[in-house]
Amino acid sequence: MIPPAFEYHRPTDIAGALGVIAEHGDEARVIAGGHSLIPMMKLRMVEIAHLIDLQDVADLKGISVGETIRIGAMVTQHGLINDAALSAAAPILREAALQIADPQVRYCGTVGGNVANGDPGNDMPGLMQCLDATFTLVGPDGSRDVPAREFYEAAYTTAREDDEILTAISFAKPAGGYAYEKQKRKIGDYATAAAAVLIEKQGGKITAASIAMTNLSDIPVFSEAAGDALKGTDGTGAALDKAVAAMLADIDPTEDNRGPVEFKKHVAGVILRRAIARAVDRA
Amino acid sequence: MADKMHLKLTINGEHLETLCEPRELLIHVLRERFNITGPHIGCETSHCGACTVDLDGKSVKACTLFAAQAQGATITTVEGLASPEGMHVLQEMFREHHGLQCGYCTPGMITRAWRLLQENPDPTEEEVRFGMAGNLCRCTGYQNIVKAILAAAAIMNGRDATADDAVKTPEEVA
């Protein structure tokens, strides 16, 4: 369980990290919390000649909370959970992060790594699509922003180019009610199904709804139709059935050790119903 | 082969140095280069938590960290918890409440519980279970581990751990 030899780099700024990538190209790879990458390296499923540790890059840390919320890519799940200002402004992040892995992994695992890796099982990509977040990527040609809803192309394939580093995540401070609901077989497992839901209400009627699902396709699924089905309703009864049906039409689960397709669709429906009910209740 | 690096760590209050390859895992460096064998290798796949050490105030699984990433860090292992006066109260309570059977997971359990009680000095049973979720035990069924940690917290908060009301029940919290 020891990977092949590699050279270790620990730059102190983004330019330094980009410099190592420019010099070594495909042989270089950045490491954030390492809890997806190191297991793959140990299994020798990926081989990396130059490992670039981002832990000393100060520009990748920190959380700023205003009307726009910005989270540095190297903020850990533990840091996110314990940030009082962030938890007050966008409690859905804390609710989701507490359901990721276990305490030890949350001390190391980063938000940036979770969204950038492109693993369909990761929770943050769906959540960021629900929040309509923007990812900032920095590469040799400068910086560009990509919406979370356009970032994911296939499992482990994203809009990020190999010579770019995901540096930050930004989104407008969410309003209304929220819920992150996840079904998993045990602590530390990825979701069998998970749902991120944001609901805004006025006079008992839903005015805005955003719904995204996790681990039910090879990419996170933002279901615009599911959100639309709730608008103008109280989010119960026929409207809730319609939203669930719309979501089920958008997901594309595959059979694996978490169950057959029909089971996953069943769980997705149960999870979304719970998430909508809780978000409506909190709105 | 990559050059060896000069690794400097503070482990259990002692400044230690070694040469190692960047690809060596922290758990291997601790056990094989420093002969600190309290942290165990259980699954070696980030699941079981037997290798848990405290690194700069965080509970981490030393099997999922390259030693190079820990360069300059301050580390506490189970060996660093007892004092010349005797065992740490967590160790005492694991003994008192029979919080172990084979003992393989115990160093990780106690090292993790040590950090948990610093972050949350008076946890509920539910908070202990949630905070210890990264440590697996295949013998005890966890019941006595949770009891031991709650008893240690009670003592650390100045309560008599043997009193009926020393440990908060979930009903009282709710």
Side-chain angles (χ1 to χ4, degrees), chain A residues 36-265:
Chain A
S36 298
L37 187 58
I38 293 175
M40 297 307 282
M41 291 174 72
K42 286 166 66 178
L43 291 166
R44 302 199 175 205
M45 290 173 79
V46 292
E47 200 167 320
I48 293 161
H50 293 270
L51 191 67
I52 309 165
D53 187 346
L54 298 177
Q55 68 171 302
D56 285 349
V57 180
D59 284 350
L60 297 177
K61 295 176 184 173
I63 298 171
S64 68
V65 177
E67 279 316 298
T68 298
I69 294 170
R70 184 184 179 281
I71 303 173
M74 286 295 284
V75 169
T76 62
Q77 309 294 354
H78 180 82
L80 184 158
I81 288 164
N82 289 287
D83 190 289
L86 178 67
S87 295
I92 193 170
L93 270 85
R94 185 172 194 274
E95 182 160 293
L98 281 167
Q99 297 179 63
I100 294 174
D102 64 45
Q104 283 93 321
V105 177
R106 291 195 292 268
Y107 281 106
C108 294
T110 66
V111 181
N114 197 289
V115 298
N117 196 29
D119 186 329
N122 283 352
D123 291 282
M124 288 289 165
L127 174 59
M128 293 308 163
Q129 291 196 340
C130 177
L131 287 161
D132 199 11
T134 299
F135 301 154
T136 302
L137 305 168
V138 177
D141 302 325
S143 164
R144 66 186 178 113
D145 289 337
V146 179
R149 292 175 187 173
E150 294 167 20
F151 186 72
Y152 298 95
E153 294 167 356
Y156 305 102
T157 306
T158 67
R160 186 184 63 81
E161 299 295 335
D162 285 346
D163 58 0
E164 288 180 314
I165 297 172
L166 191 150
T167 57
I169 297 153
S170 331
F171 52 89
K173 183 179 153 184
Y178 67 93
Y180 193 83
E181 186 80 29
K182 178 177 179 179
Q183 203 280 334
K184 52 187 176 182
R185 297 173 302 173
K186 64 174 191 63
I187 287 281
D189 191 21
Y190 293 114
T192 304
V197 175
L198 290 169
I199 299 275
E200 288 176 60
K201 256 188 343 192
Q202 233 169 23
K205 297 282 183 217
I206 292 169
T207 54
S210 179
I211 292 170
M213 308 298 291
T214 290
N215 217 10
L216 293 160
S217 175
D218 65 341
I219 55 173
V221 176
F222 169 67
S223 179
E224 192 169 8
D228 286 346
L230 296 176
K231 279 181 206 163
T233 76
D234 65 358
T236 63
L240 182 56
D241 293 343
K242 213 174 141 195
V244 169
M247 176 278 290
L248 290 173
D250 283 345
I251 62 171
D252 184 22
T254 49
E255 178 171 348
D256 61 16
N257 56 4
R258 292 184 187 86
V261 170
E262 280 315 303
F263 174 71
K264 289 187 172 185
K265 286 184 172 174

Side-chain angles (χ1 to χ4, degrees), chain B residues 8-28:
Chain B
K8 298 181 187 181
L9 300 166
T10 303
I11 307 177
N12 300 327
E14 202 179 337
H15 296 289
L16 296 172
E17 301 184 17
T18 188
L19 288 176
C20 73
E21 285 186 61
R23 64 172 170 162
E24 287 180 47
L25 297 166
L26 179 62
I27 189 66
H28 295 141

Side-chain angles (χ1 to χ4, degrees), chain A residues 1-8 10 31-39 41-44 51 53 55 76 78 82 97-99 101-108 184 186-188, chain B residues 1-3 5 21-25 28 43-47 49 52 57-61 63-72 108 112 115-116 119 130-135:
Chain A
M1 296 293 282
I2 299 173
F6 56 81
E7 228 174 281
Y8 177 77
R10 201 195 277 200
I31 184 168
H35 276 54
S36 298
L37 187 58
I38 293 175
M41 291 174 72
K42 286 166 66 178
L43 291 166
R44 302 199 175 205
L51 191 67
D53 187 346
Q55 68 171 302
T76 62
H78 180 82
N82 289 287
L98 281 167
Q99 297 179 63
D102 64 45
Q104 283 93 321
V105 177
R106 291 195 292 268
Y107 281 106
C108 294
K184 52 187 176 182
K186 64 174 191 63
I187 287 281
Chain B
M1 197 172 98
D3 289 339
M5 61 184 294
E21 285 186 61
R23 64 172 170 162
E24 287 180 47
L25 297 166
H28 295 141
C43 68
E44 219 190 329
T45 55
S46 337
H47 289 96
T52 298
K58 305 172 291 188
S59 299
V60 301
K61 295 179 179 178
C63 77
T64 310
L65 202 76
F66 293 120
Q69 294 172 280
Q71 177 70 281
R112 168 59 194 148
R115 175 55 52 194
L116 174 65
E119 292 184 351
F130 191 76
M132 296 300 295
N135 294 76

